[in-house]
Amino acid sequence: MQSILKWIAAGVLGALAVQSHAQHSDVTFDVDNGQIVIELEGHMHESGKGEAPEGGVLTSGGEVLLFEADFFDFGLGPFATDDPGYASHEETDVLNPGDFIGFSGVATLQFWDGSAWTTTTADQVTVVDVFGAETVFSSAGVAAGSSGFVGVADAVGGFHSHIDYEINPDAAMGAYLIEMQLLGFDSTGSNQIYGTSESYYIAFNFGLDEAAYEASIDAFLANASAVVQRQ
């Protein structure tokens, strides 16, 4: 009951956030010399730093692969979303038909407390893969599920899939940040045949208004030199 009341109380803030963040950008990837590479081409928009890819921000040191998401998009209820999705840069011949794309979690869950990003939080963000296995991000690190698969390539080597991201219903209102990488496997799902991608980040809005959420993004990017082009 308390969780539902929290959701209703934040309804106005969430509605404002939904209006600004209803659009989303898939995590788009290609394969370059056997390496999974996250692409930002074709998702350009104007930002305060000049023209930069949607879903990522250009800095003086390179690209920070940051994707925005909103638990209050209401597609899966108030405590889950299936955005961002994942898609191949081209519709054909990116992967072998039947190849699997997987993910791995990196580092710890970060929480925006209104003034700073911190790893001090009792809350959790859970990523549910295409088979229902759960990978849990917390302040203690990442507890990987029995699998971590996003989906499988289609018959012509293209890819598009969505997985679910969930937050515990009694979580504090704020922004939550996770770090992930993409992996590629053959059709058995057991042999990794593509090099692991660079890290990318997803910042989830949980009940903040637009200004407060964007303040959290700006604060993360202000310290982006520490995470740009992480290998």
Side-chain angles (χ1 to χ4, degrees):
M1 182 66 176
Q2 183 178 3
S3 299
I4 299 300
L5 290 175
K6 181 187 290 186
W7 172 37
I8 294 173
V12 174
L13 299 181
L16 291 174
V18 168
Q19 291 175 9
S20 297
H21 300 288
Q23 295 181 341
H24 73 277
S25 178
D26 286 339
V27 178
T28 305
F29 65 89
D30 207 340
V31 174
D32 185 8
N33 293 322
Q35 175 82 34
I36 296 178
V37 178
I38 298 176
E39 299 282 355
L40 294 174
E41 297 176 11
H43 299 284
M44 305 298 288
H45 74 107
E46 296 294 328
S47 78
K49 299 179 182 294
E51 191 164 322
E54 181 179 353
V57 175
L58 295 175
T59 71
S60 59
E63 294 172 349
V64 178
L65 301 173
L66 175 64
F67 296 83
E68 299 182 4
D70 199 328
F71 285 119
F72 278 81
D73 63 10
F74 294 101
L76 297 179
F79 310 116
T81 182
D82 63 357
D83 292 326
Y86 295 83
S88 55
H89 186 59
E90 302 292 340
E91 295 183 356
T92 62
D93 301 322
V94 174
L95 304 168
N96 302 312
D99 284 351
F100 281 92
I101 291 296
F103 67 87
S104 62
V106 183
T108 59
L109 176 67
Q110 296 187 52
F111 172 65
W112 174 254
D113 64 7
S115 59
W117 284 102
T118 176
T119 57
T120 304
T121 175
D123 298 315
Q124 298 179 338
V125 169
T126 301
V127 181
V128 184
D129 85 346
V130 69
F131 296 116
E134 297 182 349
T135 296
V136 180
F137 291 77
S138 70
S139 60
V142 181
S146 58
S147 63
F149 291 108
V150 179
V152 63
D154 60 29
V156 293
F159 187 93
H160 185 218
S161 183
H162 286 253
I163 53 178
D164 294 347
Y165 312 88
E166 301 174 350
I167 193 167
N168 51 295
D170 58 347
M173 296 296 176
Y176 292 81
L177 186 87
I178 63 174
E179 179 181 353
M180 299 174 69
Q181 295 173 325
L182 291 182
L183 303 86
F185 301 86
D186 66 10
S187 60
T188 69
S190 58
N191 300 312
Q192 185 173 349
I193 60 174
Y194 302 106
T196 303
S197 78
E198 63 269 56
S199 287
Y200 62 96
Y201 300 82
I202 307 175
F204 298 96
N205 184 7
F206 186 55
L208 298 178
D209 63 26
E210 180 183 2
Y213 177 65
E214 290 303 330
S216 74
I217 300 298
D218 290 343
F220 175 74
L221 295 174
N223 296 310
S225 59
V227 297
V228 166
Q229 296 180 330
R230 176 171 180 170
Q231 300 297 319

